[in-house]
């Protein structure tokens, strides 16, 4: 038996392909992969929304709410950006009545992770190393690969709770 | 999963269309439980050489645990179950049913529920409707039937649902334009289909062509097992050989030989009875296995599928 | 319940929790063999089970009822988000109320009474001095949201799993005594997602088979399985949320205090189909026994040693036993005649 050490809740990102039967194609974010797909379709079938570099800001959210209102049932959403941002878009899409298979994500543009602190439930953005101090409660968190699509985040658990002196070396996340 | 049965008494029989009879069932011991819309039970009818076992949707109000109601269409190509229900079952008779199980539940996250019924396929939706109304959900019922044989409950439905109910009597030339109906639905709609295979296949084809997300298309497709050629099956663990005649399913033959195979729907849908095949060619007739699994040729759903040759060796 | 509920004992700070001889005798010892490995160890939960056993009724309550309900109250006061229910789970929560109230009033009539007149229900819980009348299905007629209301009256953690698209989603629950998982983080996950961190079992196909089996559970045919881990001190709330306050317990085990400090923690997990909503009720009923009490049964003592000695490294790590596992094996050795 081959043991795969990967935690199974961590998402994998397949190459993005056009949903050929979709009536409307919504592109969110920026990236070469999205540009190429966008260019391959008739313009009248496409909506392009820039942004996402700063995550799902209030302004972007308001803009997207308006765009989603116009989408037909047979739509496709393609999103590029940080991992947390892409899952925010997926959750917005589901709330707007789309299905999971209608939302496709590019490979995340950065290795930065969104971290959910399991002790105070607050979020720390842009995490690249483990352990990482929680931006809210300050606890030093081990960044695990267990992933929540709802939070768009990895889980962080205090690393030295068993022995305060036992702080492992910082590792870069992949 | 094999489950022990519930004894019931038939407390009412009503002819609800020329070919469809409705049976009201009451629990002999204790009370029924309320159920969820889309649930079915398998009714066991005493017969020789073995009991008939057919799955029927519950059509009564799911919150009403006083009785369960089912409706049975008389099938021309019946293996005996529907004929038995129509000709032999009388008010006061006792039957056995399995506890309700649900392979066709509504998705309550849907923004709109589009119900498509063909003939006796109206039955699960009879249980959907009271719950949809209680929740104030957005829904439409489209009901296709033949006036001279099916079309049960249509007057009642029209009266209760008004503009949310669309009736299509094919014998009166009324066609449901699936393409138009399915092209013009709001985001968040889920469609549910229960009816003949052609209707299900038609809707699946149209929704795919229209770009619907597959997870928003739900269908209930119990396949009544069809007869085939006789074959033999060898049970690799015991070395026994069991003969399966043309009128008998592999599952029934195994049960006759007292080999316990878990099962739920007996109609090629639930996947409980899937069994590993070690050698022999398979004629797949189920709705459960994926194309890739069929291609592999190493598992079979014995409730409906058969050997395409003379012999199978299975891992039992 | 054949054992009267004891006065409140604590699962924290001074840990006054203890098992009576009767509670030790009915402890659900989880190892059928000398070697432990994962399996789809699910079986029908046919009731009534053996009289007086933890399997007698659908939901077991025992001498620790008041203590566990008190502990649950402490956890919820510290962190109300340990209980949640997504809006589409409202009917499932009422199904759970229905199931718990019917079972308790039939199985433990000396403590619970349900009176129904149509949708007007009156519920009496004499152990907690509750006497409420409400309209079934109308959450505004309960003093608390339905999940919290019923969850505060049942021993063990509960989750309600919504069944959609051939998967089971963790969409509601009350989880105040978990073996190291967080409802707040796992909320909304599918079956294989929330089992994501479990090592090895995915490759063994355990979750594929279990999911198929669980999705097909019919009404009135519950199933059960046992799960286990080791917990230092009689601590119910070994959640990730509170790990900073209990993690150091794991470093407190010494050869002298193993028997008293280390507890075998067994979860009796029951899955039961909810009637109106088609959700699955997942009850996780936790039993704690100190190794000292456990070894009063020579068969358990011998087997416990063999199972602990043969435990795969990955499981030791996953279950968080690394720091004290060798001490446990050494301490148990003297109870195994093979040594």
């Amino acid at each position: 038996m081959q043991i795969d050490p990967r935690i199974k809740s961590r998402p994998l990102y397949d190459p993005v392909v056009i949903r050929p039967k979709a009536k409307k194609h919504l592109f969110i974010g920026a990236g070469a992969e999205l540009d190429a797909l966008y260019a391959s379709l008739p313009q009248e079938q496409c909506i392009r929304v820039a942004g996402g570099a700063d995550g799902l800001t209030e302004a972007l959210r308001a803009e997207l709410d308006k765009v989603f209102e116009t989408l037909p049932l047979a739509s496709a959403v393609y999103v590029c950006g940080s991992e947390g941002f892409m899952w925010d878009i997926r959750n917005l899409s589901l709330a707007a009545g789309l299905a999971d298979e209608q939302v496709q994500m590019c490979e995340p543009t950065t290795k930065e992770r969104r971290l959910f602190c399991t002790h105070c439930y607050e979020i720390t953005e842009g995490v690249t190393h483990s352990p990482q101090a929680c931006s809210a409660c300050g606890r030093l968190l081990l960044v695990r690969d267990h992933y929540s699509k709802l939070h768009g985040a990895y889980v962080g658990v205090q690393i030295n709770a068993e022995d305060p002196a036992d702080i492992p070396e910082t590792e870069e996340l992949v | 999963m094999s489950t022990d049965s519930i004894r019931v008494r038939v407390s009412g029989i009503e002819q609800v269309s020329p070919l469809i009879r409705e049976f009201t069932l009451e629990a002999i011991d204790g009370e029924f439980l309320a159920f969820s819309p889309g649930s079915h039970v398998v009714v066991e009818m005493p017969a020789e050489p073995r009991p008939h076992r057919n799955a029927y949707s519950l059509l009564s109000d799911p919150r009403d645990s006083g009785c369960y109601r089912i409706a049975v269409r008389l099938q021309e190509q019946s293996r005996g179950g529907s004929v038995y229900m129509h000709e032999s079952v009388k008010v006061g008779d006792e039957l056995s049913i399995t506890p309700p199980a649900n392979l066709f539940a509504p998705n309550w996250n849907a923004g709109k529920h589009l119900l498509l019924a063909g003939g006796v396929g109206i039955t699960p939706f009879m249980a959907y409707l009271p719950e949809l109304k209680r929740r104030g959900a957005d829904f439409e019922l489209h009901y296709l039937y033949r006036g001279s044989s099916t079309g049960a409950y249509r007057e009642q439905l029209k009266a209760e649902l008004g503009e949310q109910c669309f009736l299509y009597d094919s014998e009166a030339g009324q066609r449901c334009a699936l393409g138009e109906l399915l092209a013009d639905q709001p985001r968040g709609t889920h469609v549910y289909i229960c009816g003949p295979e052609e209707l299900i296949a038609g809707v699946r084809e149209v929704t795919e062509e229209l770009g619907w997300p597959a997870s928003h298309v739900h269908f209930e497709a119990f396949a009544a097992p069809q007869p085939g050629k006789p074959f033999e099956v060898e049970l690799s663990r015991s070395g026994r050989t069991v003969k399966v005649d043309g009128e008998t399913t592999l599952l029934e033959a195994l049960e006759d030989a007292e080999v316990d195979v878990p099962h739920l729907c007996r109609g090629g849908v639930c996947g409980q009875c899937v069994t590993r095949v070690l050698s022999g060619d398979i004629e797949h007739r189920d709705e459960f296995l994926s194309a890739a699994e069929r291609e592999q040729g190493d598992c079979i759903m014995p409730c409906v599928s058969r050997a395409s040759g003379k012999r199978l060796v299975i891992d039992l | 319940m054949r054992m009267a509920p004891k006065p409140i004992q604590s699962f924290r700070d001074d840990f006054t929790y203890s098992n009576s001889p009767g509670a030790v005798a009915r402890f659900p010892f989880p190892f059928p063999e000398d070697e432990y490995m994962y399996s789809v160890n699910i079986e029908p939960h046919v009731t009534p089970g053996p009289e007086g056993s933890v399997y007698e009724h659908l939901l077991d309550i025992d001498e620790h009822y008041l203590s566990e309900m008190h502990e649950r109250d402490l956890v919820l006061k510290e962190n109300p988000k340990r209980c949640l229910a997504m809006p589409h789970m409202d009917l499932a929560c009422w199904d759970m109320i229905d199931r718990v109230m019917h079972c308790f009033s039939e199985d433990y009539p000396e403590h619970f009474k349900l009176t129904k007149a149509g949708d007007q229900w009156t519920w009496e819980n004499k152990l907690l001095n509750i006497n409420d009348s409400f309209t079934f299905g109308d959450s505004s007629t309960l003093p608390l949201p339905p999940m919290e209301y019923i969850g505060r009256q049942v021993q063990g953690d509960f989750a309600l799993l919504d069944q959609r698209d051939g998967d089971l989603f963790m969409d509601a629950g009350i989880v105040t005594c978990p073996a190291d998982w967080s409802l707040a983080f796992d909320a909304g996950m599918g079956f294989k997602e929330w089992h994501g961190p479990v090592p090895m079992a995915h490759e063994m196909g355990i979750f594929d088979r279990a999911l198929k089996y669980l999705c097909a559970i019919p009404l009135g045919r519950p199933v059960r399985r046992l799960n286990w881990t080791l917990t230092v001190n009689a601590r119910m709330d070994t959640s990730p949320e509170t790990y900073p306050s209990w993690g150091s317990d794991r470093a407190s085990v010494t050869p002298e205090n193993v028997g008293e400090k280390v507890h075998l923690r067994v979860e009796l997990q029951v899955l039961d189909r909810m009637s109106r909503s088609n959700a699955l009720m997942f009850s996780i009923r936790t039993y704690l026994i100190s190794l000292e009490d456990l070894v009063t049964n020579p068969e358990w003592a011998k087997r416990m040693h063999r199972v602990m000695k043969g435990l795969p490294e990955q499981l030791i790590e996953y279950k968080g036993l690394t720091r004290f596992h060798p001490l446990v094996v050494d301490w148990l050795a003297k109870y195994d005649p093979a040594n």
Side-chain angles (χ1 to χ4, degrees), chain B residues 179-215:
Chain B
E180 281 171 42
L181 174 65
L182 292 162
D184 188 27
Q185 294 298 331
R187 215 175 48 250
T189 305
H190 285 238
V191 62
Y192 308 84
I193 318 127
C194 186
E197 275 172 54
E198 313 85 77
L199 178 66
I200 294 170
V203 173
R204 290 175 73 183
E205 199 175 306
V206 172
T207 49
E208 194 186 331
E209 190 55 37
L210 289 171
W212 277 62
S215 66

Side-chain angles (χ1 to χ4, degrees), chain A:
Chain A
M1 185 174 64
Q2 279 287 3
I3 301 290
D4 174 2
R6 198 176 60 84
I7 291 217
K8 304 301 178 297
S9 56
R10 185 170 185 186
L12 292 172
Y13 300 91
D14 295 327
V16 176
V17 290
I18 292 292
R19 262 179 89 82
K21 308 287 188 190
K23 303 276 182 286
K24 211 70 173 177
H25 302 264
L26 170 59
F27 294 85
I28 303 171
E33 199 176 355
L34 283 194
D35 291 342
L37 293 168
Y38 181 75
S40 72
L41 289 167
Q43 293 306 298
E44 66 275 14
Q45 288 182 16
C46 296
I47 305 171
R48 182 123 206 205
V49 176
D54 306 318
L56 187 58
T57 58
E58 286 295 317
L60 181 57
R61 163 102 205 223
E63 184 182 355
L64 285 172
D65 281 346
K66 284 193 199 121
V67 173
F68 275 116
E69 274 309 303
T70 68
L71 289 185
L73 183 147
S75 295
V77 176
Y78 313 88
V79 56
C80 186
S82 71
E83 189 171 37
F85 171 72
M86 294 196 295
W87 286 96
D88 287 343
I89 296 297
R90 175 265 196 178
N91 291 334
L92 273 187
S93 304
L94 261 51
L98 299 183
D100 258 317
E101 65 265 34
Q102 291 176 286
V103 184
Q104 293 188 66
M105 301 173 203
C106 300
E107 190 71 31
T109 47
T110 82
K111 291 196 178 0
E112 291 180 1
R113 297 191 186 190
R114 179 184 293 168
L115 186 62
F116 176 95
C117 174
T118 192
H119 312 301
C120 72
Y121 297 172
E122 296 297 329
I123 291 288
T124 302
E125 295 278 3
V127 174
T128 55
H129 289 78
S130 178
Q132 159 77 40
C134 172
S135 58
C137 71
R139 289 192 179 89
L140 198 58
L141 304 177
L142 168 73
V143 182
R144 304 194 57 202
D145 280 351
H146 188 32
Y147 194 79
S148 159
K149 295 172 177 174
L150 198 68
H151 298 294
Y154 294 87
V155 73
V157 186
Q158 186 175 339
I159 196 157
N160 57 339
E162 299 189 12
D163 175 0
D166 181 12
I167 300 179
E169 277 188 34
T170 300
E171 283 178 20
E172 190 170 353
L173 294 164
V174 290

Side-chain angles (χ1 to χ4, degrees), chain C residues 5-173:
Chain C
K6 293 192 294 195
I8 291 171
Q9 297 179 322
S10 63
F11 296 100
R12 53 176 75 199
D13 305 324
D14 55 351
F15 298 105
T16 58
Y17 170 87
S18 67
N19 283 301
S20 69
V24 171
R26 75 198 292 274
F27 189 85
F29 187 73
F31 304 114
E33 292 169 33
D34 286 347
E35 196 179 342
Y36 172 76
M37 200 48 217
Y38 290 124
S39 60
V40 184
N41 57 337
I42 310 174
E43 59 183 343
H45 186 40
V46 180
T47 53
E51 197 174 313
S53 77
V54 300
Y55 308 117
E56 182 174 3
H57 300 303
L58 179 75
L59 301 170
D60 181 48
I61 64 175
D62 65 10
E63 63 180 18
H64 306 299
Y65 183 80
L66 295 177
S67 305
E68 289 189 34
M69 293 304 94
H70 179 69
E71 167 70 13
R72 172 154 289 164
D73 179 59
L74 294 177
V75 173
L76 289 172
K77 280 196 173 120
E78 283 166 10
N79 184 352
K81 291 182 177 170
R82 301 288 293 273
C83 175
L84 71 83
M86 296 185 187
H88 65 279
M89 298 305 282
D90 197 54
L91 185 59
C93 292
W94 279 99
D95 271 333
M96 178 174 157
I97 287 179
D98 179 2
R99 189 62 44 89
V100 170
M101 289 185 178
H102 276 98
C103 289
F104 276 13
S105 58
E106 283 162 26
D107 297 338
Y108 312 100
E110 65 276 37
H111 300 306
F112 305 97
K113 189 176 167 200
L114 176 64
T115 316
K116 297 198 293 183
D119 284 344
Q120 294 304 309
W121 291 24
T122 298
W123 171 245
E124 212 180 326
N125 177 339
K126 292 170 196 160
L127 295 174
L128 296 177
N129 295 317
I130 291 171
N131 191 334
D132 289 325
S133 294
F134 54 88
T135 307
F136 184 84
D138 181 351
S139 300
S140 71
T141 62
L142 285 178
L144 290 168
M147 172 54 81
E148 185 176 350
Y149 178 73
I150 197 63
R152 281 175 170 274
Q153 302 184 52
V154 282
Q155 279 178 269
D157 285 340
F158 281 75
L160 288 170
L161 314 178
D162 192 30
Q163 186 163 328
R164 311 186 295 271
D165 302 328
D167 202 349
L168 295 166
F169 294 90
M170 180 75 70
D171 287 352

